[in-house]
Amino acid sequence: MTPSFSPETLALLRKDLASNTRKLFIDGAFASSASGETLEVINPATGNVFAHAAAGDRYDIDLAVRAARRAFDGGVWPGMPPAQRARLLTRLADLIETHCERIALTETLDNGMPFSMARFAAAVGASEQLRYNAGWATKITGETVTPSTPGEWHAFSSREPIGVVGAIVPWNFPFVMAVAKIAPALAMGCTVVLKPAEQTPLSAIILGELIAEAGFPAGVVNIVTGFGDTAGAALVDHPMVDKITFTGSTDVGKKIVRAATGTLKRVTLELGGKSPVVIFPDAHLDRAIPAAAMGIFGNAGQVCAAGSRLFVHDCIFEQVVEGLTQRAIELKVGSGLAADTEMGPLVSNEQLERVLGYIETGLIEGACAKVGGQRSSGANLEQGYFVQPTILTGTTGGMKVCKEEIFGPVLCVMKFEDDDLDRIAALANSTDYGLSSNIWTRDISTALRLAKRIKAGTVRINGGAGVDPAIPLGGFKQSGWGRENGRAGIEAFTELKSVTVAL
């Protein structure tokens, strides 16, 4: 099959990445880290270092935060007419679409995801985030209130930008997540310091280039690549940062909460998940089975909302498991640059060992690997961080593989034997997480009744809509604090002020 990108573009990109260390973007200019230190960037499909990026630390974070502070306090960004902010966001969306191929190829080399997925996320996901949030820039309003206090009053509320935002993004969808963090903050009038994951720093630097080209004022967006325990911790600790927005693991989210208590800075957390998928006997299995398969095998299971626990009615259990098994066997695993690849590698050797460790623990606890369960073998796979699509049967809710987030292509399949929705919901809710869920049935009453009982921020019925900038995203329980996207996502970057005037 012919690759859907230009080989010449890939060759030029590889040459550029190999010869030029990626720099920090601070106060509108690119610069090396103050220490001169760099971090190695590894292609997960080969296990080889193919690029280097500046390893910013506490000093670089301080420079970036101070630049963002000046841009905010001086009014260069919050004081800009909202329509002008909207135009700059839209201009950035246009540039992302223009540079889609280079962004997607960088994402594939850095993260390992199939090129088609990277292109969709970069061109469609990121640009749509910007366009949607640009629309909000001119629509932030307060409300008038009638107090009950005796006298004649004029009372109203207003929403103001919260200030300097520290945005920390994960490695599973680096570019689109970076854009999704900065878009609502910028639309509201906040300034940003962006810290990408150390495993996948490269596409964020392209974002910096495009921000400069779009004409954003210096200091409005600053990008510091580096390690989480140095640059990330410094960003969370910095007293001039007003808010932290973080997507990543629950363990790191808890550390951020503890660190934020020193200044009581605002915090939004989109954390882990162990999302349930429930398939009833009347479901359209020709749709439910492939959706359940790609709901866990897509991006090698490295998705916070991955449907990692599957509950199937006993009367269709064998049929569903066989369908999933066949899909897993046929799934094309390989480099994200190959046109026919459906599932790429895990992001790092550390993640590979983590996933294989969970599978081993599951087997020891009594699960059975219906398919997969091992590191992938075959031509061009041995050196990369590939693991087989894995389906575990014989699992129970108390097993570690059913309780903890694996973040890999591992599906735990369990059965239920009656139609008691309270009992089914109890199974679905039997983890510390509550990020997402999926229900498959042709009975809309059953679907909506179960949806009310599931403790999750998102419930998708018969597939539902994917991640959309208009639909609030976030979790119950230990899946996070607050919401992103939609009106809630914009308001998360505001402070609400009340004004009362005695007339």
Side-chain angles (χ1 to χ4, degrees):
M1 298 177 66
T2 303
S4 51
F5 54 83
S6 164
E8 292 77 13
T9 301
L10 176 60
L12 290 171
L13 176 62
R14 279 179 158 155
K15 181 179 179 181
D16 182 47
L17 290 170
S19 58
N20 296 303
T21 297
R22 269 33 198 174
K23 296 181 178 181
L24 312 178
F25 182 64
I26 299 177
D27 207 13
F30 287 94
S32 300
S33 61
S35 67
E37 296 295 320
T38 63
L39 55 88
E40 295 182 334
V41 185
I42 296 173
N43 182 341
T46 64
N48 296 327
V49 175
F50 74 102
H52 291 80
D57 58 19
R58 186 171 294 273
Y59 180 83
D60 303 293
I61 287 290
D62 183 63
L63 291 177
V65 172
R66 290 179 183 276
R69 189 83 259 168
R70 287 191 299 271
F72 184 81
D73 291 347
V76 65
W77 189 248
M80 182 181 288
Q84 190 174 344
R85 289 203 303 269
R87 283 193 290 271
L88 283 170
L89 290 170
T90 302
R91 169 66 175 150
L92 181 57
D94 293 340
L95 288 170
I96 286 172
E97 291 178 347
T98 300
H99 293 268
C100 164
E101 186 174 65
R102 182 165 67 104
I103 295 168
L105 284 171
T106 301
E107 208 82 323
T108 295
L109 292 172
D110 204 0
N111 165 275
M113 70 175 67
F115 174 78
S116 58
M117 177 180 290
R119 185 174 57 181
F120 179 81
V124 179
S127 61
E128 286 305 309
Q129 281 282 350
L130 287 161
R131 296 187 197 286
Y132 174 82
N133 284 285
W136 274 110
T138 56
K139 300 172 183 66
I140 307 301
T141 62
E143 60 183 6
T144 57
V145 182
T146 303
S148 296
T149 306
E152 190 172 2
W153 301 86
H154 175 60
F156 63 93
S157 66
S158 63
R159 288 195 174 271
E160 300 179 358
I162 201 165
V164 175
V165 174
I168 304 175
V169 298
W171 44 256
N172 57 335
F173 289 98
F175 189 81
V176 70
M177 289 300 303
V179 172
K181 291 291 187 193
I182 71 171
L186 295 177
M188 189 57 226
C190 299
T191 56
V192 180
V193 177
L194 173 67
K195 160 59 176 73
E198 60 259 35
Q199 298 90 341
T200 54
L202 301 179
S203 61
I205 304 306
I206 300 177
L207 179 59
E209 294 172 1
L210 301 183
I211 285 170
E213 184 178 346
F216 283 74
V220 172
V221 180
N222 307 271
I223 301 171
V224 179
T225 54
F227 294 99
D229 57 2
T230 52
L235 184 57
V236 174
D237 291 339
H238 204 292
M240 292 184 183
V241 173
D242 301 296
K243 178 184 175 69
I244 294 292
T245 175
F246 169 79
T247 296
S249 72
T250 296
D251 287 343
V252 175
K254 291 177 180 178
K255 292 179 181 178
I256 289 173
V257 170
R258 289 192 288 269
T261 58
T263 56
L264 288 181
K265 55 173 58 74
R266 307 303 188 251
V267 177
T268 295
L269 304 171
E270 199 266 283
L271 305 177
K274 196 69 181 175
S275 300
V277 179
V278 181
I279 301 181
F280 287 92
D282 65 341
H284 288 286
L285 297 186
D286 58 335
R287 293 171 51 200
I289 291 173
M294 295 315 295
I296 186 63
F297 300 142
N299 204 28
Q302 299 170 127
V303 181
C304 54
S308 54
R309 294 181 300 140
L310 177 61
F311 299 94
V312 185
H313 194 281
D314 179 59
C315 70
I316 57 170
F317 185 82
E318 294 302 327
Q319 181 182 356
V320 170
V321 170
E322 287 305 316
L324 289 167
T325 300
Q326 188 60 36
R327 183 71 182 97
I329 292 171
E330 295 172 350
L331 199 69
K332 174 62 177 176
V333 178
S335 166
L337 297 174
D340 57 347
T341 290
E342 297 175 279
M343 190 181 94
L346 298 173
V347 75
S348 65
N349 188 62
E350 178 185 6
Q351 188 65 14
L352 175 69
E353 292 179 351
R354 170 188 170 88
V355 171
L356 292 176
Y358 268 106
I359 294 172
E360 181 180 5
T361 298
L363 297 177
I364 292 172
E365 290 183 341
C368 173
K370 180 70 174 179
V371 65
Q374 299 178 20
R375 186 170 186 167
S376 297
S377 59
N380 302 318
L381 298 180
E382 286 84 354
Q383 302 305 313
Y385 309 130
F386 297 94
V387 66
Q388 296 171 341
T390 299
I391 297 174
L392 299 179
T393 58
T395 53
T396 61
M399 291 182 176
K400 191 174 181 180
V401 289
C402 293
K403 292 171 68 70
E404 299 182 11
E405 185 178 43
I406 299 173
F407 224 59
V410 182
L411 178 64
C412 298
V413 188
M414 292 160 277
K415 66 175 68 173
F416 60 93
E417 298 178 347
D418 57 39
D419 298 322
D420 186 327
L421 296 185
D422 289 327
R423 194 169 6 250
I424 295 168
L427 293 172
N429 295 332
S430 61
T431 73
D432 293 331
Y433 299 104
L435 185 59
S436 186
S437 58
N438 288 268
I439 300 168
W440 290 89
T441 176
R442 281 183 260 189
D443 187 331
I444 192 61
S445 293
T446 294
L448 293 177
R449 285 170 178 158
L450 183 57
K452 288 184 177 181
R453 290 165 169 80
I454 289 179
K455 299 183 185 301
T458 297
V459 180
R460 294 186 173 96
I461 297 172
N462 295 329
V467 176
D468 187 287
I471 299 176
L473 173 68
F476 287 21
K477 300 187 283 186
Q478 293 192 33
S479 285
W481 283 359
R483 293 295 181 269
E484 298 180 317
N485 296 343
R487 178 187 291 273
I490 283 284
E491 292 181 348
F493 292 98
T494 69
E495 290 283 18
L496 186 62
K497 178 180 287 184
S498 298
V499 179
T500 58
V501 182
L503 303 179

